Amino acid sequence: DSGVTQTPKHLITATGQRVTLRCSPRSGDLSVYWYQQSLDQGLQFLIQYYNGEERAKGNILERFSAQQFPDLHSELNLSSLELGDSALYFCASSVADGSSYEQYFGPGTRLTVT
Amino acid sequence: AQKVTQAQTEISVVEKEDVTLDCVYETRDTTYYLFWYKQPPSGELVFLIRRNSFDEQNEISGRYSWNFQKSTSSFNFTITASQVVDSAVYFCALSELDTGRRALTFGSGTRLQVQP
């Protein structure tokens, strides 16, 4: 158990809908990362937050957004969902904002868009 | 641009065999970090090791060992006396300090099947 929690574990929804994925980092970790794992794209970085502020953006679509709250939990919002958004979404946390710190991953949320 | 290549898509071995998973990376940074993660069938990503670019010492942890060679931009992972529980997808990843790219760039993964 990495200490990172993600809810829900599974999510099935229809095209055009909007969903929110939730992540709670390990106790004491200030940095949260979101990654998407799909069969065709592999594991891709989406966005990073550190202590409530956006720090870096990766291949995140404009239909997707995220935020980190004062209690450090983070939410990833996916809207106008398309079939291609079906993937496993991971949240990871690290103690600080730096590439030297290992990231601990949550169990993931499997999103299926039908 | 940064890139991680894991050329072996799938490897199948019989229990107790040794197996090496290859990882080759590309980066323009002089300071960077390399990682290995394991993704068992249950789906979670498990951190295995972190290595910085200035530390080329090989590392051993039980049946696991890692060989970092800066000259060939490789960070290979060897499992000695493999076990069925080692069956998983293994990912090599890179993060860069100079450019501040803190997020991990992953390779495509190597699926290891250990047969009893």
Side-chain angles (χ1 to χ4, degrees):
Chain A
D1 186 347
S2 67
V4 179
T5 61
Q6 287 187 250
T7 56
K9 199 169 171 61
H10 300 278
L11 200 47
I12 301 174
T13 189
T15 53
Q17 294 299 304
R18 172 190 169 96
V19 296
T20 297
L21 313 183
R22 183 188 168 104
C23 166
S24 292
R26 293 186 320 159
S27 177
D29 284 0
L30 299 177
S31 207
V32 169
Y33 302 76
W34 286 96
Y35 293 85
Q36 179 195 59
Q37 184 177 29
S38 61
L39 281 174
D40 52 346
Q41 299 288 330
L43 265 163
Q44 286 199 101
F45 165 64
L46 296 178
I47 196 165
Q48 178 206 358
Y49 278 81
Y50 174 73
N51 205 19
E53 292 188 5
E54 182 185 301
R55 273 305 173 114
K57 267 186 170 177
N59 299 321
I60 188 166
L61 300 171
E62 283 192 17
R63 301 182 285 108
F64 295 1
S65 65
Q67 54 185 326
Q68 187 179 27
F69 295 86
D71 67 352
L72 301 177
H73 90 271
S74 178
E75 292 180 357
L76 178 67
N77 301 296
L78 315 176
S79 61
S80 303
L81 285 167
E82 301 175 359
L83 295 177
D85 298 327
S86 295
L88 190 50
Y89 290 85
F90 285 107
C91 163
S93 73
S94 66
V95 65
D97 177 31
S99 57
S100 62
Y101 299 98
E102 55 265 30
Q103 297 175 27
Y104 291 91
F105 283 75
T109 292
R110 184 168 295 282
L111 173 66
T112 303
V113 182
T114 61
Chain B
Q2 69 287 344
K3 186 179 177 183
V4 176
T5 301
Q6 294 179 256
Q8 304 152 308
T9 307
E10 187 159 347
I11 300 175
S12 184
V13 299
V14 177
E15 218 172 8
K16 295 184 185 169
E17 279 186 34
D18 297 348
V19 58
T20 295
L21 310 182
D22 297 334
C23 172
V24 173
Y25 61 92
E26 293 176 32
T27 177
R28 291 183 183 160
D29 281 22
T30 55
T31 306
Y32 51 89
Y33 294 82
L34 295 163
F35 303 79
W36 275 94
Y37 283 85
K38 173 182 180 180
Q39 187 174 38
S42 51
E44 74 272 25
L45 280 162
V46 179
F47 167 76
L48 295 178
I49 190 172
R50 178 195 70 201
R51 174 65 75 213
N52 78 56
S53 52
F54 296 108
D55 182 3
E56 288 193 69
Q57 262 193 321
N58 290 335
E59 179 151 345
I60 297 175
S61 175
R63 296 184 297 106
Y64 294 171
S65 62
W66 290 269
N67 179 259
F68 175 33
Q69 291 197 343
K70 218 166 171 177
S71 59
T72 56
S73 297
S74 65
F75 186 43
N76 297 336
F77 173 28
T78 297
I79 301 175
T80 303
S82 59
Q83 299 175 2
V84 173
V85 292
D86 296 327
S87 297
V89 180
Y90 291 85
F91 291 94
C92 180
L94 165 74
S95 68
E96 297 163 313
L97 186 62
D98 298 343
T99 52
R101 183 175 170 81
R102 303 158 182 84
L104 297 170
T105 297
F106 284 92
S108 54
T110 297
R111 181 178 299 278
L112 174 65
Q113 302 249 28
V114 181
Q115 310 287 349

